[in-house]
Amino acid sequence: MIKKILVIHGPNLNLLGEREPGVYGNMSIDTLNSNIIDRAREQGLECEIFQSNHEGAIIDKLHAARTAFDGVIINAGAYTHYSYAIRDAIAAIKIPVIEVHISNIDAREEFRANSVIAPVCRGSICGLGFLSYYLAVQAMAEL
């Protein structure tokens, strides 16, 4: 049976390639998604990708993931730092969740260094650009 994973991109990630390229790079979200799907396929995984700027939509997708997927990779964007609702949704679903960030959240503004979702995630990968996602896909294949 093929393992199925879900990748969730949070707020503002739809603007990759346009938004602060010095921080987030020049790659568009469409190219990133294509690369993630290719990496997942190489690892023998089926991958679905979801992006939303809305907290409730992310929570709904996490809830649905509990019965449809074997794991989740999430870049919760700014919700990382204050969304206890997303944190609680991750804790409730009982499948592995890996937190990813393109930038090094510990090396940026002080408020970004705190992740309220990290304690309920299986692991966190940040600061490696788009490689953060690719490493999370590899980790999902090996979990």
Side-chain angles (χ1 to χ4, degrees):
M1 189 164 82
I2 295 176
K3 188 187 277 188
K4 293 173 61 177
I5 63 168
L6 172 65
V7 175
I8 297 176
H9 301 296
N12 300 309
L13 289 162
N14 56 305
L15 298 178
L16 283 177
E18 300 173 41
R19 175 184 174 227
E20 297 181 77
V23 175
Y24 300 108
N26 295 312
M27 188 184 302
S28 72
I29 192 166
D30 292 334
T31 301
L32 174 61
N33 288 343
S34 179
N35 290 347
I36 291 169
I37 290 168
D38 289 346
R39 299 285 176 119
R41 220 178 269 129
E42 289 168 6
Q43 296 288 328
L45 303 172
E46 186 177 316
C47 180
E48 180 179 314
I49 299 178
F50 174 77
Q51 190 279 324
S52 181
N53 294 317
H54 305 281
E55 185 178 32
I58 293 168
I59 292 165
D60 289 343
K61 195 68 173 178
L62 284 164
H63 289 176
R66 76 186 191 286
T67 57
F69 295 94
D70 300 298
V72 175
I73 296 167
I74 185 168
N75 181 340
Y79 290 134
T80 298
H81 315 296
Y82 66 89
S83 179
Y84 295 107
I86 290 175
R87 180 223 178 270
D88 290 348
I90 292 169
I93 64 174
K94 307 286 191 249
I95 58 175
V97 177
I98 298 174
E99 172 188 22
V100 299
H101 297 283
I102 297 165
S103 67
N104 182 349
I105 61 174
D106 294 313
R108 295 186 63 198
E109 301 91 342
E110 186 178 330
F111 75 91
R112 292 188 198 275
N114 180 48
S115 169
V116 300
I117 68 171
V120 294
C121 289
R122 181 74 177 261
S124 299
I125 303 170
C126 75
L128 301 174
F130 301 112
L131 182 59
S132 296
Y133 283 96
Y134 309 149
L135 290 171
V137 168
Q138 182 180 345
M140 276 296 174
E142 296 184 22
L143 288 178

